Amino acid sequence: MLEILERYRLIQKENERYLKELVDSINCGIAVVDAEDRKLVDINLAGAAMLGYEAGEMTSKLDHAAIFPQDTDIFPLVPNLRSLPPRERLAARANGSLMPVLKSMTVVERGEKRYLIESFIDISGLKRAESDLQASEAKYRRFFEEDLTGNFISANDGRILDCNPAF
């Protein structure tokens, strides 16, 4: 009987190691939060690195609100909540700066406990590109609007789609 228990313990340990390696290999932040007390239970390597922490130091001293300060608004809903689709949020980094992320959440149960499994990706590069595109668009719109010559944009069939005031 003891041999069987020991064998199952080793199998369980191997399964836990495998799952940890699997989750740590994902290039997306994954945080596990206790749904009741909002304490961070675990975070994968990518999530800790994105936020500027070592994985072990995060779980010992941070709660959910320290990482995702905007998300306190969802917690009154948690007893009935099963998941949240991806949405833009801000994540607090170790250095105090805020990082835009696309974050989703799913509630899972293990035994009698409920956990929030939150996945997030850094979208700061996307936000910079979006801002650069808007600035470029504004620059060329101003150039188009302020040009002294008449300018227009037309469709292949000759319909005028846009024109400047001089036109």
Side-chain angles (χ1 to χ4, degrees):
M1 181 94 152
L2 290 176
E3 287 178 24
I4 293 171
L5 287 174
E6 180 62 18
R7 193 170 356 150
Y8 281 124
R9 189 188 66 75
L10 291 173
I11 290 170
Q12 181 179 1
K13 190 173 185 176
E14 176 60 24
N15 287 340
E16 288 173 1
R17 185 198 59 76
Y18 170 75
L19 288 174
K20 179 78 172 143
E21 278 184 27
L22 183 69
V23 170
D24 280 341
S25 71
I26 298 171
N27 289 325
C28 162
I30 299 174
V32 180
V33 177
D34 186 311
E36 191 173 315
D37 68 9
R38 313 302 187 241
K39 296 291 181 197
L40 185 65
V41 175
D42 201 3
I43 190 162
N44 70 339
L45 294 176
M50 265 190 260
L51 298 171
Y53 290 96
E54 296 292 324
E57 73 177 325
M58 288 190 74
T59 55
S60 63
K61 60 183 175 185
L62 292 177
D63 66 1
H64 185 270
I67 303 167
F68 298 109
Q70 290 178 314
D71 283 356
T72 54
D73 62 331
I74 66 161
F75 288 128
L77 306 174
V78 167
N80 302 318
L81 193 64
R82 299 309 305 163
S83 67
L84 286 174
R87 59 191 184 149
E88 286 186 30
R89 305 308 278 169
L90 292 174
R93 289 185 169 134
N95 66 9
S97 66
L98 294 175
M99 170 181 58
V101 296
L102 186 63
K103 183 169 94 70
S104 61
M105 183 199 71
T106 300
V107 177
V108 297
E109 295 178 11
R110 184 171 187 203
E112 297 295 314
K113 301 250 336 154
R114 289 167 43 95
Y115 297 95
L116 310 176
I117 309 299
E118 302 187 324
S119 58
F120 56 98
I121 57 171
D122 178 359
I123 59 170
S124 53
L126 179 64
K127 296 307 250 175
R128 275 192 303 278
E130 188 178 82
S131 176
D132 292 348
L133 178 62
Q134 288 173 347
S136 177
E137 191 175 272
K139 175 183 172 183
Y140 286 101
R141 172 55 65 181
R142 192 173 59 252
F143 176 75
F144 181 76
E145 295 289 335
E146 295 174 0
D147 192 0
L148 297 177
T149 61
N151 297 302
F152 67 95
I153 300 170
S154 67
N156 287 339
D157 64 5
R159 287 179 296 120
I160 296 177
L161 301 174
D162 198 4
C163 65
N164 68 349
F167 181 80

